[in-house]
Amino acid sequence: MPASFRVATYNIHKCRGLDRRVLPDRIAGVLRELDADVIALQEVLSIEGGAPEDDQASFIASKLSGYSCHFGENRRLRGGAYGNVILSRLPATSVRNYDITWRGREARGCLRADVIVPGGEALHIFNVHLGTAFIERRHQARRLLSLDVLRSDDITGPRIVVGDFNEWTAGLASRLMSREFETVDLSRHIRRSRTYPGILPLLHLDHFYFDGHLLLEAFSLHRTRRSLIASDHLPMVAQFRLPAAESAA
């Protein structure tokens, strides 16, 4: 039977909501609602042994049943680690964090997790948070599409690239990624082309890119009373299916 799985991406903004309160438990509540097999989080703080507000990665993982937690540190913040997280209830065989920082700008990274979907196929998830400067993102897009990262020779299965690309307008990063991957057409699934900020969407910052032989079955913007206040971003969730022939292989 063809393998079907759900992937989500969510910039949790250090768990600081629109009410200015830092509530990791509220973020965990949003994540439970998603019922995703793999969740990519950006802007996560991890001060080991600290209060939930400080050790966000560990606290959120402890509140979710059946997920492994993989942290990609991009820089130090308040004496702890700060970066991206991948939560997975699919078996992870390998995890790697790539440095995509450009010329003294804020340190940025791309966290990769190789997981096994039902049926035994390898799936490569890349969790990205690009910079805020135009030239910076041009460099980072080229770095992502290099032989070291997205075109690495150790990639054996389909790729999904998600995260906060910080492109206020369609720039080189979007064009390069769209040449390599399929992308979710928001207007076809949620009848809007902008998703950020959640309360009053003006921009399209969060993206899903995926290899063309993956079948996109469903896509949604998780817009609930809780998610609208928990962060300035909203979670995006996509359900994919591997074609039967590939699953059998």
Side-chain angles (χ1 to χ4, degrees), residues 221-242:
L221 184 69
H222 191 70
R223 187 180 174 90
T224 64
R225 180 177 295 182
R226 178 185 282 164
S227 67
L228 282 169
I229 198 71
S231 171
D232 54 348
H233 290 249
L234 289 173
M236 296 165 58
V237 187
Q239 180 163 315
F240 295 97
R241 179 166 57 85
L242 282 169

Side-chain angles (χ1 to χ4, degrees), residues 61-79:
S62 73
K63 291 293 182 177
L64 302 178
S65 176
Y67 287 85
S68 58
C69 179
H70 310 282
F71 191 90
E73 178 180 340
N74 297 331
R75 64 182 175 93
R76 305 298 289 177
L77 179 65
R78 290 164 39 196

Side-chain angles (χ1 to χ4, degrees), residues 2-76:
S4 184
F5 52 91
R6 289 164 61 88
V7 178
T9 182
Y10 189 18
N11 184 328
I12 65 172
H13 193 50
K14 307 183 194 71
C15 297
R16 184 179 297 276
L18 298 187
D19 57 2
R20 310 304 297 169
R21 300 169 69 195
V22 178
L23 297 175
D25 193 51
R26 181 167 57 187
I27 292 292
V30 173
L31 299 182
R32 282 193 293 269
E33 296 169 354
L34 304 181
D35 190 31
D37 297 296
V38 181
I39 305 172
L41 304 178
Q42 303 88 46
E43 293 196 27
V44 187
L45 179 62
S46 178
I47 302 177
E48 292 186 12
E53 294 79 10
D54 298 322
D55 196 359
Q56 298 172 359
S58 294
F59 178 81
I60 291 171
S62 73
K63 291 293 182 177
L64 302 178
S65 176
Y67 287 85
S68 58
C69 179
H70 310 282
F71 191 90
E73 178 180 340
N74 297 331
R75 64 182 175 93
R76 305 298 289 177

Side-chain angles (χ1 to χ4, degrees), residues 118-184:
E121 178 88 6
L123 173 70
H124 306 283
I125 303 288
F126 294 83
N127 180 10
V128 177
H129 192 189
L130 298 190
T132 57
F134 176 78
I135 298 298
E136 177 185 17
R137 290 192 300 273
R138 292 171 67 98
H139 164 83
Q140 290 168 339
R142 292 190 179 101
R143 166 79 172 125
L144 286 174
L145 288 165
S146 70
L147 295 176
D148 293 330
V149 188
L150 287 171
R151 294 173 176 168
S152 173
D153 59 9
D154 66 347
I155 291 176
T156 60
R159 302 163 295 172
I160 297 177
V161 188
V162 298
D164 182 353
F165 281 74
N166 261 324
E167 284 209 315
W168 293 48
T169 58
L172 182 66
S174 296
R175 293 197 299 273
L176 290 177
M177 294 295 290
S178 296
R179 291 173 191 168
E180 181 89 3
F181 298 97
E182 298 293 320
T183 186
V184 174

